[in-house]
PDB file of all heavy atoms in Angstrom:
ATOM      1  N   GLU A  73     106.990 -19.167   6.063  1.00 96.00           N
ATOM      2  CA  GLU A  73     105.931 -19.225   5.050  1.00 96.00           C
ATOM      3  C   GLU A  73     104.858 -20.244   5.431  1.00 96.00           C
ATOM      4  O   GLU A  73     103.663 -19.968   5.306  1.00 96.00           O
ATOM      5  CB  GLU A  73     106.508 -19.592   3.682  1.00 96.00           C
ATOM      6  CG  GLU A  73     107.148 -18.436   2.978  1.00 96.00           C
ATOM      7  CD  GLU A  73     107.571 -18.766   1.560  1.00 96.00           C
ATOM      8  OE1 GLU A  73     108.053 -19.882   1.297  1.00 96.00           O
ATOM      9  OE2 GLU A  73     107.416 -17.883   0.717  1.00 96.00           O
ATOM     10  N   GLU A  74     105.292 -21.403   5.887  1.00 97.00           N
ATOM     11  CA  GLU A  74     104.340 -22.464   6.208  1.00 97.00           C
ATOM     12  C   GLU A  74     103.500 -22.143   7.441  1.00 97.00           C
ATOM     13  O   GLU A  74     102.344 -22.516   7.514  1.00 97.00           O
ATOM     14  CB  GLU A  74     105.074 -23.787   6.404  1.00 97.00           C
ATOM     15  CG  GLU A  74     105.635 -24.344   5.108  1.00 97.00           C
ATOM     16  CD  GLU A  74     106.434 -25.615   5.291  1.00 97.00           C
ATOM     17  OE1 GLU A  74     106.564 -26.106   6.437  1.00 97.00           O
ATOM     18  OE2 GLU A  74     106.943 -26.119   4.273  1.00 97.00           O
ATOM     19  N   SER A  75     104.096 -21.434   8.411  1.00 97.00           N
ATOM     20  CA  SER A  75     103.389 -21.157   9.661  1.00 97.00           C
ATOM     21  C   SER A  75     102.657 -19.818   9.662  1.00 97.00           C
ATOM     22  O   SER A  75     101.893 -19.534  10.583  1.00 97.00           O
ATOM     23  CB  SER A  75     104.383 -21.184  10.829  1.00 97.00           C
ATOM     24  OG  SER A  75     105.281 -20.077  10.732  1.00 97.00           O
ATOM     25  N   GLY A  76     102.924 -18.992   8.663  1.00 97.00           N
ATOM     26  CA  GLY A  76     102.320 -17.660   8.647  1.00 97.00           C
ATOM     27  C   GLY A  76     103.084 -16.653   9.478  1.00 97.00           C
ATOM     28  O   GLY A  76     102.584 -15.565   9.769  1.00 97.00           O
ATOM     29  N   ASN A  77     104.298 -17.007   9.883  1.00 95.00           N
ATOM     30  CA  ASN A  77     105.128 -16.122  10.704  1.00 95.00           C
ATOM     31  C   ASN A  77     106.345 -15.603   9.953  1.00 95.00           C
ATOM     32  O   ASN A  77     107.388 -15.367  10.554  1.00 95.00           O
ATOM     33  CB  ASN A  77     105.596 -16.860  11.964  1.00 95.00           C
ATOM     34  CG  ASN A  77     104.455 -17.176  12.885  1.00 95.00           C
ATOM     35  OD1 ASN A  77     103.583 -16.343  13.110  1.00 95.00           O
ATOM     36  ND2 ASN A  77     104.433 -18.382  13.415  1.00 95.00           N
ATOM     37  N   LEU A  78     106.218 -15.417   8.662  1.00 95.00           N
ATOM     38  CA  LEU A  78     107.359 -14.989   7.864  1.00 95.00           C
ATOM     39  C   LEU A  78     107.930 -13.667   8.361  1.00 95.00           C
ATOM     40  O   LEU A  78     109.142 -13.513   8.457  1.00 95.00           O
ATOM     41  CB  LEU A  78     106.986 -14.885   6.381  1.00 95.00           C
ATOM     42  CG  LEU A  78     108.113 -14.510   5.430  1.00 95.00           C
ATOM     43  CD1 LEU A  78     109.261 -15.517   5.517  1.00 95.00           C
ATOM     44  CD2 LEU A  78     107.596 -14.400   4.014  1.00 95.00           C
ATOM     45  N   ASP A  79     107.071 -12.722   8.724  1.00 95.00           N
ATOM     46  CA  ASP A  79     107.564 -11.424   9.191  1.00 95.00           C
ATOM     47  C   ASP A  79     108.422 -11.563  10.446  1.00 95.00           C
ATOM     48  O   ASP A  79     109.492 -10.958  10.550  1.00 95.00           O
ATOM     49  CB  ASP A  79     106.424 -10.435   9.406  1.00 95.00           C
ATOM     50  CG  ASP A  79     105.368 -10.920  10.386  1.00 95.00           C
ATOM     51  OD1 ASP A  79     105.266 -12.144  10.620  1.00 95.00           O
ATOM     52  OD2 ASP A  79     104.630 -10.067  10.910  1.00 95.00           O
ATOM     53  N   ALA A  80     107.998 -12.389  11.382  1.00 96.00           N
ATOM     54  CA  ALA A  80     108.770 -12.601  12.612  1.00 96.00           C
ATOM     55  C   ALA A  80     110.093 -13.297  12.300  1.00 96.00           C
ATOM     56  O   ALA A  80     111.134 -12.950  12.871  1.00 96.00           O
ATOM     57  CB  ALA A  80     107.967 -13.424  13.613  1.00 96.00           C
ATOM     58  N   ASN A  81     110.069 -14.257  11.394  1.00 95.00           N
ATOM     59  CA  ASN A  81     111.299 -14.960  11.036  1.00 95.00           C
ATOM     60  C   ASN A  81     112.268 -14.043  10.296  1.00 95.00           C
ATOM     61  O   ASN A  81     113.476 -14.126  10.502  1.00 95.00           O
ATOM     62  CB  ASN A  81     110.987 -16.196  10.206  1.00 95.00           C
ATOM     63  CG  ASN A  81     110.384 -17.304  11.034  1.00 95.00           C
ATOM     64  OD1 ASN A  81     109.909 -17.086  12.137  1.00 95.00           O
ATOM     65  ND2 ASN A  81     110.377 -18.502  10.499  1.00 95.00           N
ATOM     66  N   LEU A  82     111.746 -13.153   9.461  1.00 94.00           N
ATOM     67  CA  LEU A  82     112.618 -12.182   8.788  1.00 94.00           C
ATOM     68  C   LEU A  82     113.240 -11.219   9.791  1.00 94.00           C
ATOM     69  O   LEU A  82     114.414 -10.867   9.672  1.00 94.00           O
ATOM     70  CB  LEU A  82     111.845 -11.425   7.708  1.00 94.00           C
ATOM     71  CG  LEU A  82     111.483 -12.243   6.476  1.00 94.00           C
ATOM     72  CD1 LEU A  82     110.540 -11.447   5.578  1.00 94.00           C
ATOM     73  CD2 LEU A  82     112.729 -12.664   5.708  1.00 94.00           C
ATOM     74  N   ASP A  83     112.457 -10.805  10.791  1.00 94.00           N
ATOM     75  CA  ASP A  83     113.011  -9.951  11.855  1.00 94.00           C
ATOM     76  C   ASP A  83     114.131 -10.675  12.588  1.00 94.00           C
ATOM     77  O   ASP A  83     115.192 -10.103  12.862  1.00 94.00           O
ATOM     78  CB  ASP A  83     111.925  -9.546  12.855  1.00 94.00           C
ATOM     79  CG  ASP A  83     110.965  -8.506  12.312  1.00 94.00           C
ATOM     80  OD1 ASP A  83     111.314  -7.804  11.330  1.00 94.00           O
ATOM     81  OD2 ASP A  83     109.861  -8.389  12.877  1.00 94.00           O
ATOM     82  N   PHE A  84     113.896 -11.952  12.914  1.00 94.00           N
ATOM     83  CA  PHE A  84     114.920 -12.741  13.594  1.00 94.00           C
ATOM     84  C   PHE A  84     116.187 -12.853  12.750  1.00 94.00           C
ATOM     85  O   PHE A  84     117.300 -12.691  13.251  1.00 94.00           O
ATOM     86  CB  PHE A  84     114.389 -14.143  13.918  1.00 94.00           C
ATOM     87  CG  PHE A  84     115.435 -15.049  14.485  1.00 94.00           C
ATOM     88  CD1 PHE A  84     115.783 -14.973  15.817  1.00 94.00           C
ATOM     89  CD2 PHE A  84     116.098 -15.966  13.680  1.00 94.00           C
ATOM     90  CE1 PHE A  84     116.772 -15.796  16.347  1.00 94.00           C
ATOM     91  CE2 PHE A  84     117.084 -16.792  14.193  1.00 94.00           C
ATOM     92  CZ  PHE A  84     117.418 -16.706  15.532  1.00 94.00           C
ATOM     93  N   LEU A  85     116.019 -13.115  11.460  1.00 93.00           N
ATOM     94  CA  LEU A  85     117.181 -13.237  10.572  1.00 93.00           C
ATOM     95  C   LEU A  85     117.950 -11.923  10.473  1.00 93.00           C
ATOM     96  O   LEU A  85     119.174 -11.932  10.433  1.00 93.00           O
ATOM     97  CB  LEU A  85     116.748 -13.710   9.189  1.00 93.00           C
ATOM     98  CG  LEU A  85     116.338 -15.175   9.113  1.00 93.00           C
ATOM     99  CD1 LEU A  85     115.653 -15.466   7.790  1.00 93.00           C
ATOM    100  CD2 LEU A  85     117.541 -16.075   9.307  1.00 93.00           C
ATOM    101  N   ALA A  86     117.244 -10.818  10.457  1.00 90.00           N
ATOM    102  CA  ALA A  86     117.910  -9.517  10.415  1.00 90.00           C
ATOM    103  C   ALA A  86     118.720  -9.282  11.686  1.00 90.00           C
ATOM    104  O   ALA A  86     119.872  -8.830  11.624  1.00 90.00           O
ATOM    105  CB  ALA A  86     116.889  -8.403  10.226  1.00 90.00           C
ATOM    106  N   LEU A  87     118.155  -9.618  12.836  1.00 92.00           N
ATOM    107  CA  LEU A  87     118.890  -9.479  14.096  1.00 92.00           C
ATOM    108  C   LEU A  87     120.093 -10.418  14.122  1.00 92.00           C
ATOM    109  O   LEU A  87     121.185 -10.034  14.560  1.00 92.00           O
ATOM    110  CB  LEU A  87     117.972  -9.774  15.283  1.00 92.00           C
ATOM    111  CG  LEU A  87     116.938  -8.721  15.615  1.00 92.00           C
ATOM    112  CD1 LEU A  87     115.976  -9.244  16.670  1.00 92.00           C
ATOM    113  CD2 LEU A  87     117.611  -7.442  16.081  1.00 92.00           C
ATOM    114  N   HIS A  88     119.890 -11.637  13.672  1.00 87.00           N
ATOM    115  CA  HIS A  88     120.972 -12.628  13.636  1.00 87.00           C
ATOM    116  C   HIS A  88     122.117 -12.135  12.750  1.00 87.00           C
ATOM    117  O   HIS A  88     123.281 -12.227  13.112  1.00 87.00           O
ATOM    118  CB  HIS A  88     120.436 -13.962  13.140  1.00 87.00           C
ATOM    119  CG  HIS A  88     121.447 -15.054  13.088  1.00 87.00           C
ATOM    120  ND1 HIS A  88     122.134 -15.366  11.949  1.00 87.00           N
ATOM    121  CD2 HIS A  88     121.909 -15.886  14.047  1.00 87.00           C
ATOM    122  CE1 HIS A  88     122.966 -16.342  12.206  1.00 87.00           C
ATOM    123  NE2 HIS A  88     122.849 -16.681  13.457  1.00 87.00           N
TER     124      HIS A  88
END
Side-chain angles (χ1 to χ4, degrees):
E73 280 187 322
E74 290 177 1
S75 68
N77 293 317
L78 183 58
D79 57 339
N81 287 17
L82 289 171
D83 286 340
F84 174 80
L85 287 168
L87 287 171
H88 181 265

